[in-house]
Amino acid sequence: VSQSRYSNQFICKTTPINSNQTSICTSHNRFTSWNFSSCNFSSLSVDFKEKSACFYEIGSIYSKHLGDNSYGIEFYQKAIDYDPNNTDAAPYLIEFYMRDEKWVKAEPLLESLLRKDNGEDPNRSKAYYYQLGLCAQKLRKDHKALEAYQQAYKLDSTHYPTLHQLS
């Protein structure tokens, strides 16, 4: 992203990152002054989880605030590369991978989210199990698909898409 693409008047917000201060400048929901696609956080942090969190935040700004999903997905993927257990970035990547039918990439992310799932939100858990069932089915892992759909059914026996897949 070049400076000319995201520039004009700007307001700066300061975000602490590992005791250093980094300014993220926005202008009517546009970035200025940084080329994020070539960011190197090694000078800011040596902790992969912190780097992952930084990439997640940048991805979030691109996708949620700027509407630039391609850059958002790129940074969410970098977040996962640095921390495969990043539960903030994973749902956005799963949504993208499911939409683009990238089952092989969505499956491990869903498995990771389900391993970390504490059951606080049964609707979210049901959605993850259902999506895992779809991925497994598309990848011809029938037994795994059946198990995932059964878990989704246990969480919500009225969820029509799950019922349809179980029939």
PDB file of all heavy atoms in Angstrom, residues 27-51:
ATOM      1  N   SER A  27      -7.315   8.790   8.051  1.00  0.00           N
ATOM      2  CA  SER A  27      -7.896   9.952   7.405  1.00  0.00           C
ATOM      3  C   SER A  27      -9.194   9.529   6.765  1.00  0.00           C
ATOM      4  O   SER A  27      -9.185   8.827   5.773  1.00  0.00           O
ATOM      5  CB  SER A  27      -6.947  10.480   6.345  1.00  0.00           C
ATOM      6  OG  SER A  27      -7.635  11.350   5.488  1.00  0.00           O
ATOM      7  N   HIS A  28     -10.268   9.931   7.341  1.00  0.00           N
ATOM      8  CA  HIS A  28     -11.555   9.527   6.786  1.00  0.00           C
ATOM      9  C   HIS A  28     -11.521   8.039   6.473  1.00  0.00           C
ATOM     10  O   HIS A  28     -11.809   7.606   5.365  1.00  0.00           O
ATOM     11  CB  HIS A  28     -11.891  10.347   5.532  1.00  0.00           C
ATOM     12  CG  HIS A  28     -11.781  11.815   5.750  1.00  0.00           C
ATOM     13  ND1 HIS A  28     -12.647  12.506   6.563  1.00  0.00           N
ATOM     14  CD2 HIS A  28     -10.901  12.719   5.296  1.00  0.00           C
ATOM     15  CE1 HIS A  28     -12.306  13.780   6.577  1.00  0.00           C
ATOM     16  NE2 HIS A  28     -11.250  13.934   5.822  1.00  0.00           N
ATOM     17  N   ASN A  29     -11.096   7.251   7.459  1.00  0.00           N
ATOM     18  CA  ASN A  29     -10.953   5.801   7.335  1.00  0.00           C
ATOM     19  C   ASN A  29      -9.880   5.389   6.318  1.00  0.00           C
ATOM     20  O   ASN A  29      -9.994   4.386   5.661  1.00  0.00           O
ATOM     21  CB  ASN A  29     -12.282   5.135   6.978  1.00  0.00           C
ATOM     22  CG  ASN A  29     -13.276   5.271   8.084  1.00  0.00           C
ATOM     23  OD1 ASN A  29     -12.899   5.321   9.257  1.00  0.00           O
ATOM     24  ND2 ASN A  29     -14.538   5.344   7.736  1.00  0.00           N
ATOM     25  N   ARG A  30      -8.830   6.172   6.182  1.00  0.00           N
ATOM     26  CA  ARG A  30      -7.727   5.807   5.278  1.00  0.00           C
ATOM     27  C   ARG A  30      -6.394   5.937   6.011  1.00  0.00           C
ATOM     28  O   ARG A  30      -6.212   6.818   6.832  1.00  0.00           O
ATOM     29  CB  ARG A  30      -7.718   6.712   4.054  1.00  0.00           C
ATOM     30  CG  ARG A  30      -8.951   6.539   3.206  1.00  0.00           C
ATOM     31  CD  ARG A  30      -8.850   7.438   1.994  1.00  0.00           C
ATOM     32  NE  ARG A  30     -10.069   7.328   1.236  1.00  0.00           N
ATOM     33  CZ  ARG A  30     -10.209   6.499   0.206  1.00  0.00           C
ATOM     34  NH1 ARG A  30      -9.235   5.730  -0.165  1.00  0.00           N
ATOM     35  NH2 ARG A  30     -11.348   6.447  -0.441  1.00  0.00           N
ATOM     36  N   PHE A  31      -5.454   5.049   5.665  1.00  0.00           N
ATOM     37  CA  PHE A  31      -4.141   5.086   6.292  1.00  0.00           C
ATOM     38  C   PHE A  31      -3.217   6.068   5.599  1.00  0.00           C
ATOM     39  O   PHE A  31      -3.355   6.355   4.435  1.00  0.00           O
ATOM     40  CB  PHE A  31      -3.470   3.708   6.226  1.00  0.00           C
ATOM     41  CG  PHE A  31      -4.007   2.782   7.229  1.00  0.00           C
ATOM     42  CD1 PHE A  31      -4.912   1.816   6.874  1.00  0.00           C
ATOM     43  CD2 PHE A  31      -3.632   2.902   8.546  1.00  0.00           C
ATOM     44  CE1 PHE A  31      -5.424   0.963   7.802  1.00  0.00           C
ATOM     45  CE2 PHE A  31      -4.144   2.054   9.488  1.00  0.00           C
ATOM     46  CZ  PHE A  31      -5.045   1.079   9.112  1.00  0.00           C
ATOM     47  N   THR A  32      -2.253   6.526   6.359  1.00  0.00           N
ATOM     48  CA  THR A  32      -1.204   7.363   5.783  1.00  0.00           C
ATOM     49  C   THR A  32       0.101   7.067   6.515  1.00  0.00           C
ATOM     50  O   THR A  32       0.092   6.555   7.616  1.00  0.00           O
ATOM     51  CB  THR A  32      -1.569   8.853   5.878  1.00  0.00           C
ATOM     52  OG1 THR A  32      -0.583   9.604   5.199  1.00  0.00           O
ATOM     53  CG2 THR A  32      -1.642   9.340   7.297  1.00  0.00           C
ATOM     54  N   SER A  33       1.162   7.390   5.931  1.00  0.00           N
ATOM     55  CA  SER A  33       2.523   7.409   6.462  1.00  0.00           C
ATOM     56  C   SER A  33       3.198   6.054   6.639  1.00  0.00           C
ATOM     57  O   SER A  33       4.376   6.025   6.877  1.00  0.00           O
ATOM     58  CB  SER A  33       2.603   8.193   7.774  1.00  0.00           C
ATOM     59  OG  SER A  33       2.141   7.437   8.865  1.00  0.00           O
ATOM     60  N   TRP A  34       2.516   4.934   6.533  1.00  0.00           N
ATOM     61  CA  TRP A  34       3.172   3.642   6.682  1.00  0.00           C
ATOM     62  C   TRP A  34       2.892   2.765   5.486  1.00  0.00           C
ATOM     63  O   TRP A  34       1.801   2.781   4.947  1.00  0.00           O
ATOM     64  CB  TRP A  34       2.654   2.907   7.911  1.00  0.00           C
ATOM     65  CG  TRP A  34       3.236   3.353   9.197  1.00  0.00           C
ATOM     66  CD1 TRP A  34       3.719   4.577   9.496  1.00  0.00           C
ATOM     67  CD2 TRP A  34       3.365   2.582  10.380  1.00  0.00           C
ATOM     68  NE1 TRP A  34       4.130   4.619  10.781  1.00  0.00           N
ATOM     69  CE2 TRP A  34       3.931   3.408  11.354  1.00  0.00           C
ATOM     70  CE3 TRP A  34       3.056   1.282  10.701  1.00  0.00           C
ATOM     71  CZ2 TRP A  34       4.199   2.969  12.629  1.00  0.00           C
ATOM     72  CZ3 TRP A  34       3.317   0.842  11.979  1.00  0.00           C
ATOM     73  CH2 TRP A  34       3.894   1.683  12.925  1.00  0.00           C
ATOM     74  N   ASN A  35       3.842   1.999   5.095  1.00  0.00           N
ATOM     75  CA  ASN A  35       3.623   0.961   4.095  1.00  0.00           C
ATOM     76  C   ASN A  35       3.446  -0.342   4.862  1.00  0.00           C
ATOM     77  O   ASN A  35       4.396  -1.021   5.173  1.00  0.00           O
ATOM     78  CB  ASN A  35       4.824   0.898   3.154  1.00  0.00           C
ATOM     79  CG  ASN A  35       4.648  -0.148   2.094  1.00  0.00           C
ATOM     80  OD1 ASN A  35       3.819  -1.037   2.220  1.00  0.00           O
ATOM     81  ND2 ASN A  35       5.439  -0.052   1.051  1.00  0.00           N
ATOM     82  N   PHE A  36       2.193  -0.692   5.201  1.00  0.00           N
ATOM     83  CA  PHE A  36       1.924  -1.842   6.048  1.00  0.00           C
ATOM     84  C   PHE A  36       2.310  -3.158   5.400  1.00  0.00           C
ATOM     85  O   PHE A  36       2.631  -4.110   6.084  1.00  0.00           O
ATOM     86  CB  PHE A  36       0.443  -1.898   6.435  1.00  0.00           C
ATOM     87  CG  PHE A  36       0.073  -0.893   7.464  1.00  0.00           C
ATOM     88  CD1 PHE A  36      -0.845   0.097   7.181  1.00  0.00           C
ATOM     89  CD2 PHE A  36       0.644  -0.927   8.719  1.00  0.00           C
ATOM     90  CE1 PHE A  36      -1.197   1.024   8.141  1.00  0.00           C
ATOM     91  CE2 PHE A  36       0.296  -0.009   9.681  1.00  0.00           C
ATOM     92  CZ  PHE A  36      -0.628   0.969   9.396  1.00  0.00           C
ATOM     93  N   SER A  37       2.261  -3.249   4.086  1.00  0.00           N
ATOM     94  CA  SER A  37       2.542  -4.530   3.451  1.00  0.00           C
ATOM     95  C   SER A  37       3.991  -4.947   3.630  1.00  0.00           C
ATOM     96  O   SER A  37       4.321  -6.100   3.455  1.00  0.00           O
ATOM     97  CB  SER A  37       2.180  -4.485   1.967  1.00  0.00           C
ATOM     98  OG  SER A  37       2.970  -3.536   1.315  1.00  0.00           O
ATOM     99  N   SER A  38       4.859  -4.036   4.004  1.00  0.00           N
ATOM    100  CA  SER A  38       6.250  -4.410   4.225  1.00  0.00           C
ATOM    101  C   SER A  38       6.668  -4.175   5.672  1.00  0.00           C
ATOM    102  O   SER A  38       7.841  -4.030   5.959  1.00  0.00           O
ATOM    103  CB  SER A  38       7.158  -3.612   3.287  1.00  0.00           C
ATOM    104  OG  SER A  38       7.048  -2.238   3.582  1.00  0.00           O
ATOM    105  N   CYS A  39       5.685  -4.135   6.577  1.00  0.00           N
ATOM    106  CA  CYS A  39       6.000  -3.931   7.989  1.00  0.00           C
ATOM    107  C   CYS A  39       6.901  -5.034   8.499  1.00  0.00           C
ATOM    108  O   CYS A  39       6.741  -6.186   8.164  1.00  0.00           O
ATOM    109  CB  CYS A  39       4.733  -3.939   8.849  1.00  0.00           C
ATOM    110  SG  CYS A  39       3.821  -2.416   8.762  1.00  0.00           S
ATOM    111  N   ASN A  40       7.847  -4.665   9.313  1.00  0.00           N
ATOM    112  CA  ASN A  40       8.692  -5.625   9.991  1.00  0.00           C
ATOM    113  C   ASN A  40       8.607  -5.311  11.474  1.00  0.00           C
ATOM    114  O   ASN A  40       9.128  -4.307  11.919  1.00  0.00           O
ATOM    115  CB  ASN A  40      10.126  -5.525   9.482  1.00  0.00           C
ATOM    116  CG  ASN A  40      11.030  -6.525  10.145  1.00  0.00           C
ATOM    117  OD1 ASN A  40      10.637  -7.205  11.102  1.00  0.00           O
ATOM    118  ND2 ASN A  40      12.250  -6.620   9.666  1.00  0.00           N
ATOM    119  N   PHE A  41       7.944  -6.165  12.225  1.00  0.00           N
ATOM    120  CA  PHE A  41       7.736  -5.914  13.637  1.00  0.00           C
ATOM    121  C   PHE A  41       8.890  -6.402  14.495  1.00  0.00           C
ATOM    122  O   PHE A  41       8.808  -6.357  15.697  1.00  0.00           O
ATOM    123  CB  PHE A  41       6.444  -6.586  14.103  1.00  0.00           C
ATOM    124  CG  PHE A  41       5.227  -5.925  13.543  1.00  0.00           C
ATOM    125  CD1 PHE A  41       4.463  -6.569  12.595  1.00  0.00           C
ATOM    126  CD2 PHE A  41       4.862  -4.663  13.959  1.00  0.00           C
ATOM    127  CE1 PHE A  41       3.337  -5.960  12.072  1.00  0.00           C
ATOM    128  CE2 PHE A  41       3.743  -4.049  13.442  1.00  0.00           C
ATOM    129  CZ  PHE A  41       2.984  -4.699  12.506  1.00  0.00           C
ATOM    130  N   SER A  42       9.970  -6.874  13.887  1.00  0.00           N
ATOM    131  CA  SER A  42      11.052  -7.422  14.679  1.00  0.00           C
ATOM    132  C   SER A  42      11.666  -6.380  15.602  1.00  0.00           C
ATOM    133  O   SER A  42      12.134  -6.707  16.678  1.00  0.00           O
ATOM    134  CB  SER A  42      12.124  -8.031  13.780  1.00  0.00           C
ATOM    135  OG  SER A  42      12.676  -7.043  12.943  1.00  0.00           O
ATOM    136  N   SER A  43      11.641  -5.124  15.221  1.00  0.00           N
ATOM    137  CA  SER A  43      12.185  -4.101  16.100  1.00  0.00           C
ATOM    138  C   SER A  43      11.220  -3.760  17.229  1.00  0.00           C
ATOM    139  O   SER A  43      11.621  -3.217  18.241  1.00  0.00           O
ATOM    140  CB  SER A  43      12.513  -2.840  15.304  1.00  0.00           C
ATOM    141  OG  SER A  43      11.317  -2.307  14.764  1.00  0.00           O
ATOM    142  N   LEU A  44       9.952  -4.093  17.044  1.00  0.00           N
ATOM    143  CA  LEU A  44       8.968  -3.801  18.085  1.00  0.00           C
ATOM    144  C   LEU A  44       8.808  -4.944  19.063  1.00  0.00           C
ATOM    145  O   LEU A  44       8.536  -4.729  20.227  1.00  0.00           O
ATOM    146  CB  LEU A  44       7.606  -3.509  17.438  1.00  0.00           C
ATOM    147  CG  LEU A  44       7.557  -2.311  16.505  1.00  0.00           C
ATOM    148  CD1 LEU A  44       6.188  -2.234  15.846  1.00  0.00           C
ATOM    149  CD2 LEU A  44       7.849  -1.046  17.275  1.00  0.00           C
ATOM    150  N   SER A  45       8.952  -6.155  18.606  1.00  0.00           N
ATOM    151  CA  SER A  45       8.678  -7.298  19.458  1.00  0.00           C
ATOM    152  C   SER A  45       9.377  -8.536  18.930  1.00  0.00           C
ATOM    153  O   SER A  45       9.463  -8.733  17.736  1.00  0.00           O
ATOM    154  CB  SER A  45       7.173  -7.546  19.492  1.00  0.00           C
ATOM    155  OG  SER A  45       6.899  -8.743  20.166  1.00  0.00           O
ATOM    156  N   VAL A  46       9.844  -9.362  19.840  1.00  0.00           N
ATOM    157  CA  VAL A  46      10.388 -10.652  19.459  1.00  0.00           C
ATOM    158  C   VAL A  46       9.405 -11.761  19.806  1.00  0.00           C
ATOM    159  O   VAL A  46       9.633 -12.908  19.487  1.00  0.00           O
ATOM    160  CB  VAL A  46      11.756 -10.930  20.144  1.00  0.00           C
ATOM    161  CG1 VAL A  46      12.811  -9.972  19.623  1.00  0.00           C
ATOM    162  CG2 VAL A  46      11.640 -10.847  21.649  1.00  0.00           C
ATOM    163  N   ASP A  47       8.322 -11.400  20.447  1.00  0.00           N
ATOM    164  CA  ASP A  47       7.285 -12.357  20.834  1.00  0.00           C
ATOM    165  C   ASP A  47       6.341 -12.593  19.657  1.00  0.00           C
ATOM    166  O   ASP A  47       5.693 -11.666  19.176  1.00  0.00           O
ATOM    167  CB  ASP A  47       6.527 -11.804  22.031  1.00  0.00           C
ATOM    168  CG  ASP A  47       5.466 -12.751  22.554  1.00  0.00           C
ATOM    169  OD1 ASP A  47       5.284 -13.829  21.975  1.00  0.00           O
ATOM    170  OD2 ASP A  47       4.813 -12.392  23.554  1.00  0.00           O
ATOM    171  N   PHE A  48       6.257 -13.852  19.202  1.00  0.00           N
ATOM    172  CA  PHE A  48       5.406 -14.163  18.056  1.00  0.00           C
ATOM    173  C   PHE A  48       3.941 -13.854  18.321  1.00  0.00           C
ATOM    174  O   PHE A  48       3.213 -13.454  17.425  1.00  0.00           O
ATOM    175  CB  PHE A  48       5.568 -15.618  17.636  1.00  0.00           C
ATOM    176  CG  PHE A  48       6.866 -15.910  16.934  1.00  0.00           C
ATOM    177  CD1 PHE A  48       7.408 -17.176  16.970  1.00  0.00           C
ATOM    178  CD2 PHE A  48       7.542 -14.923  16.229  1.00  0.00           C
ATOM    179  CE1 PHE A  48       8.599 -17.454  16.313  1.00  0.00           C
ATOM    180  CE2 PHE A  48       8.721 -15.193  15.567  1.00  0.00           C
ATOM    181  CZ  PHE A  48       9.251 -16.457  15.618  1.00  0.00           C
ATOM    182  N   LYS A  49       3.479 -14.039  19.545  1.00  0.00           N
ATOM    183  CA  LYS A  49       2.084 -13.742  19.866  1.00  0.00           C
ATOM    184  C   LYS A  49       1.813 -12.243  19.740  1.00  0.00           C
ATOM    185  O   LYS A  49       0.751 -11.839  19.286  1.00  0.00           O
ATOM    186  CB  LYS A  49       1.717 -14.239  21.253  1.00  0.00           C
ATOM    187  CG  LYS A  49       1.595 -15.742  21.319  1.00  0.00           C
ATOM    188  CD  LYS A  49       1.093 -16.214  22.666  1.00  0.00           C
ATOM    189  CE  LYS A  49       1.125 -17.709  22.734  1.00  0.00           C
ATOM    190  NZ  LYS A  49      -0.143 -18.328  22.496  1.00  0.00           N
ATOM    191  N   GLU A  50       2.770 -11.424  20.146  1.00  0.00           N
ATOM    192  CA  GLU A  50       2.607  -9.977  19.992  1.00  0.00           C
ATOM    193  C   GLU A  50       2.619  -9.579  18.520  1.00  0.00           C
ATOM    194  O   GLU A  50       1.830  -8.735  18.091  1.00  0.00           O
ATOM    195  CB  GLU A  50       3.697  -9.219  20.745  1.00  0.00           C
ATOM    196  CG  GLU A  50       3.500  -9.225  22.243  1.00  0.00           C
ATOM    197  CD  GLU A  50       4.539  -8.402  22.959  1.00  0.00           C
ATOM    198  OE1 GLU A  50       4.968  -7.358  22.418  1.00  0.00           O
ATOM    199  OE2 GLU A  50       4.926  -8.804  24.071  1.00  0.00           O
ATOM    200  N   LYS A  51       3.501 -10.189  17.745  1.00  0.00           N
ATOM    201  CA  LYS A  51       3.523  -9.913  16.309  1.00  0.00           C
ATOM    202  C   LYS A  51       2.202 -10.331  15.681  1.00  0.00           C
ATOM    203  O   LYS A  51       1.635  -9.610  14.859  1.00  0.00           O
ATOM    204  CB  LYS A  51       4.677 -10.643  15.628  1.00  0.00           C
ATOM    205  CG  LYS A  51       6.034 -10.061  15.936  1.00  0.00           C
ATOM    206  CD  LYS A  51       7.124 -10.820  15.211  1.00  0.00           C
ATOM    207  CE  LYS A  51       8.481 -10.260  15.550  1.00  0.00           C
ATOM    208  NZ  LYS A  51       9.544 -10.884  14.782  1.00  0.00           N
TER     209      LYS A  51
END
